[in-house]
C-alpha cells in the first residue's frame, strides 16, 4: 500500500493581484475539484520558480507577464489524502502585481481544468476555496504588498 504512494512534487502557484483583487478559477481536477484556486502547476525540470510561474500563467490564462516582477512569497506543505488520487505537493507561492491599467484580457485556456477565471476582492472571496489557499488566508496571510 505505502509503496504505491507517489513521491511528493513541487507546484508553483501565483497570486495575480490587481487593485484589491486576486485572480481565482474554479478547479476541474481530481484534486480540489470545484474549489477556487490560483493559477499554477507543476515545476518542470530545470525551471526557476519565476519561469514556472510565467509559463503556467500564460498556459492557463493567456496573460503574458512580460517584464512584470515575479516575487517569491512563501511555501506550504500540502498532503492530499482525501482525494480520489492521493498526492503530496510542496507548493511555492509567487506574486505578480499587475498595473491597474493592464489591458490584457484573461482567457480560460484550459477549460477542461478550470470553469473560468475571475477577479475577487480579498474581502469578498468565493467559496469554497482550495484548502491550501483557505488554510493560508485563514491563518492571516496577506498576499498584498504592504
Ligand atoms: P501542469 O500539468 O500544468 O503542470 O499542472 P496543472 O494541472 O496546472 O496542476 P495544478 O493541479 O493546477 O497544480 C499543481 C498542484 O499544486 C495542485 O494539484 C495542488 C497544488 N496547489 C496548491 N495550491 C494551489 C493553488 O492555489 N492553485 C493550483 N493551481 N495548485 C495548487 O497547493
Ligand atoms: Mg497548468
Ligand atoms: Mg494549474
Amino acid at each position: 500500500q505505502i509503496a504505491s504512494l507517489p513521491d511528493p512534487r513541487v507546484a508553483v502557484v501565483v497570486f495575480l493581484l490587481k487593485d484589491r483583487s486576486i485572480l481565482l478559477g474554479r478547479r476541474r481536477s481530481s484534486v480540489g475539484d470545484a474549489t477556487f484556486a490560483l493559477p499554477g502547476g507543476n515545476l518542470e525540470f530545470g525551471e526557476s520558480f519565476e519561469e514556472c510561474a510565467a509559463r503556467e500563467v500564460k498556459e492557463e490564462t493567456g496573460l503574458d507577464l512580460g517584464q512584470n516582477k515575479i516575487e517569491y512569497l512563501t511555501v506550504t506543505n500540502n498532503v492530499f489524502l482525501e482525494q480520489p488520487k492521493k498526492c503530496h505537493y510542496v507548493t511555492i507561492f509567487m506574486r505578480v502585481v499587475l498595473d491597474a491599467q493592464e489591458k490584457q484580457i484573461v482567457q480560460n485556456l484550459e477549460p477542461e481544468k478550470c470553469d473560468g477565471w475571475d477577479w475577487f476582492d480579498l474581502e469578498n472571496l468565493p467559496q469554497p476555496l482550495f484548502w491550501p489557499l483557505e488554510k493560508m488566508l485563514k491563518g492571516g496571510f496577506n498576499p498584498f504588498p504592504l
Side-chain angles (χ1 to χ4, degrees):
Q1 194 73 1
I2 294 251
S4 72
L5 290 170
D7 287 336
R9 301 188 73 179
V10 177
V12 174
V13 304
V14 186
F15 281 101
L16 267 175
L17 308 178
K18 193 174 172 182
D19 299 318
R20 289 304 290 170
S21 299
I22 304 174
L23 190 75
L24 297 173
R26 215 162 73 115
R27 290 172 67 76
R28 284 291 161 222
S29 170
S30 55
V31 184
D33 191 47
T35 65
F36 287 86
L38 303 167
N42 294 280
L43 184 70
E44 293 182 358
F45 183 93
E47 274 184 329
S48 68
F49 298 159
E50 292 80 6
E51 287 165 346
C52 182
R55 177 182 55 74
E56 286 287 345
V57 165
K58 179 75 179 165
E59 287 175 358
E60 298 184 353
T61 75
L63 279 181
D64 194 334
L65 294 181
Q67 297 307 304
N68 279 289
K69 185 167 58 155
I70 304 173
E71 301 168 274
Y72 166 80
L73 290 182
T74 192
V75 59
T76 65
N77 189 41
N78 303 296
V79 182
F80 302 91
L81 291 176
E82 315 305 325
Q83 306 295 328
K85 218 198 268 165
K86 289 181 179 44
C87 61
H88 179 173
Y89 275 97
V90 173
T91 307
I92 313 288
F93 290 80
M94 308 295 282
R95 166 171 70 199
V96 174
V97 181
L98 293 178
D99 195 275
Q101 320 305 325
E102 176 61 58
K103 70 255 163 269
Q104 291 184 74
I105 291 161
V106 175
Q107 305 166 70
N108 188 22
L109 294 185
E110 294 181 341
E112 71 287 358
K113 289 187 180 181
C114 177
D115 284 340
W117 300 106
D118 259 308
W119 297 99
F120 295 93
D121 197 279
L122 179 61
E123 273 70 51
N124 194 16
L125 294 175
Q127 292 293 331
L129 291 173
F130 191 24
W131 73 255
L133 192 57
E134 171 84 8
K135 184 175 62 172
M136 286 173 76
L137 297 172
K138 274 233 176 90
F141 182 84
N142 186 339
F144 287 88
L146 293 176

